[in-house]
Amino acid sequence: MKAVIFDFGGTLDTDGVHWSIKFLEAYHNAGVFIPEKIFRNAYISAERDMAGRLKSNTGLEDTLRMQVSLQLKHLVEDYNCRFYDEVPSLAKEISRSCFNEVKRNVSLVRNTLLRLSRKYELGVISNFYGNLLQVLKELGIREFFSIVMDSEVTGLRKPDRQIYHRLLKEILLPAEEIIMTGDSYENDMLPAKSLGYRTIWLRGKAWKYPEEFSSADFIIGSFMEIEEVIEIMERIQCRESLSHYRK
């Protein structure tokens, strides 16, 4: 193995918890209880609205505040929800809670990335908003990645296989020497595996799970398991190479 590529949202920042669930948990912690189905619809609508709204130097907390503000807007306008506080104040409270949790999680992830970067080339492929580089810098992990692909910048969104093709051209490695790690089976595992990447699925909290998961070479429940799994993959690859050589 020569390189390890990561998804960002739901993988590096929340340890496998899909952001729709992370946001809903933050709403509950703030005393705002929204039915899951209604919130999920508002979340999806808000994500569509995010396109083109952020500058490249926008930080993570402001990104989260924009997302929450748009979610609240849809909850009010589409579902007639009413809240105990003004929307700007509530958006600030919820986004600050999410931001602090991400910082705590990334402080642990950083040590793993540091160790992995000493042995592998690291990269990120993410469906993001044009400011992923700034967010990685803000979180103190930009230095570990030689390649960062933000969908808003590339014009390609996962699960489009073209974004994985583009990475192969930039990293100049065969797909079988690259491990793709992410929390989304559909966006991360399926397209990467179809091109020959090795795959690690971070199976955390999500609204739904696939009925089959053959495109995941390994499944982990926490980002902290990744080093052990990569070592296993290395040993398997070594045995495969020896077997081929003996033939």
Side-chain angles (χ1 to χ4, degrees):
M1 306 298 176
K2 301 291 180 58
V4 185
I5 309 301
F6 302 95
D7 168 55
F8 178 73
T11 301
L12 293 177
D13 54 359
T14 66
D15 197 17
V17 181
H18 191 276
W19 264 105
S20 59
I21 294 176
K22 178 63 67 178
F23 279 127
L24 187 56
E25 290 175 348
Y27 277 72
H28 290 172
N29 291 337
V32 179
F33 296 93
I34 308 293
E36 287 186 0
K37 185 176 181 180
I38 289 177
F39 180 77
R40 185 180 183 187
N41 291 337
Y43 169 85
I44 292 170
S45 297
E47 285 299 293
R48 293 186 185 127
D49 293 346
M50 285 291 289
R53 285 181 176 264
L54 300 180
K55 296 181 179 179
S56 61
N57 63 349
T58 303
L60 179 59
E61 186 170 3
D62 287 338
T63 301
L64 294 170
R65 190 176 305 172
M66 175 66 76
Q67 290 174 282
V68 176
S69 296
L70 291 171
Q71 293 161 14
L72 292 168
K73 176 178 180 289
H74 281 285
L75 288 169
V76 169
E77 295 180 358
D78 302 344
Y79 300 98
N80 200 33
C81 294
R82 295 294 180 264
F83 307 106
Y84 65 84
D85 209 344
E86 295 294 325
V87 165
S89 177
L90 188 56
K92 182 177 180 179
E93 178 184 353
I94 292 172
S95 59
R96 173 59 62 88
S97 171
C98 291
F99 178 64
N100 288 335
E101 193 166 344
V102 167
K103 286 198 300 181
R104 287 192 294 270
N105 187 65
V106 172
S107 68
L108 301 175
V109 166
R110 191 180 192 283
N111 294 327
T112 299
L113 293 175
L114 175 61
R115 290 189 293 269
L116 289 174
S117 68
R118 293 168 178 162
K119 187 174 181 181
Y120 305 98
E121 187 171 357
L122 304 184
V124 178
I125 298 180
S126 181
N127 288 343
F128 217 69
Y129 313 108
N131 61 324
L132 182 56
L133 283 173
Q134 177 63 31
V135 168
L136 295 175
K137 290 176 185 176
E138 179 184 13
L139 294 174
I141 56 176
R142 169 67 183 94
E143 64 188 281
F144 301 122
F145 304 112
S146 61
I147 293 178
V148 176
M149 303 185 74
D150 180 328
S151 62
E152 187 76 12
V153 176
T154 63
L156 296 168
R157 288 182 63 83
K158 299 183 294 183
D160 189 338
R161 297 199 321 165
Q162 290 304 311
I163 197 167
Y164 291 96
H165 273 300
R166 182 174 296 187
L167 182 133
L168 292 176
K169 292 179 181 178
E170 292 192 17
I171 205 168
L172 299 177
L173 288 171
E176 61 268 20
E177 293 290 347
I178 304 171
I179 301 170
M180 179 63 204
T181 303
D183 70 299
S184 172
Y185 187 81
E186 179 181 339
N187 288 346
D188 302 318
M189 302 296 100
L190 287 175
K193 188 63 178 179
S194 71
L195 294 174
Y197 286 67
R198 310 285 177 140
T199 54
I200 299 176
W201 180 28
L202 174 53
R203 189 183 188 277
K205 292 183 181 179
W207 294 107
K208 62 180 181 178
Y209 299 98
E211 295 182 0
E212 71 84 33
F213 35 86
S214 59
S215 290
D217 293 325
F218 282 85
I219 301 172
I220 57 177
S222 169
F223 188 87
M224 299 306 142
E225 301 171 33
I226 191 169
E227 289 178 280
E228 180 180 357
V229 168
I230 291 176
E231 288 181 10
I232 294 171
M233 295 174 81
E234 290 276 18
R235 291 199 292 271
I236 291 173
Q237 187 182 46
C238 182
R239 287 199 297 269
E240 289 175 349
S241 296
L242 286 173
S243 176
H244 179 73
Y245 177 77
R246 286 168 181 163
K247 290 180 181 179

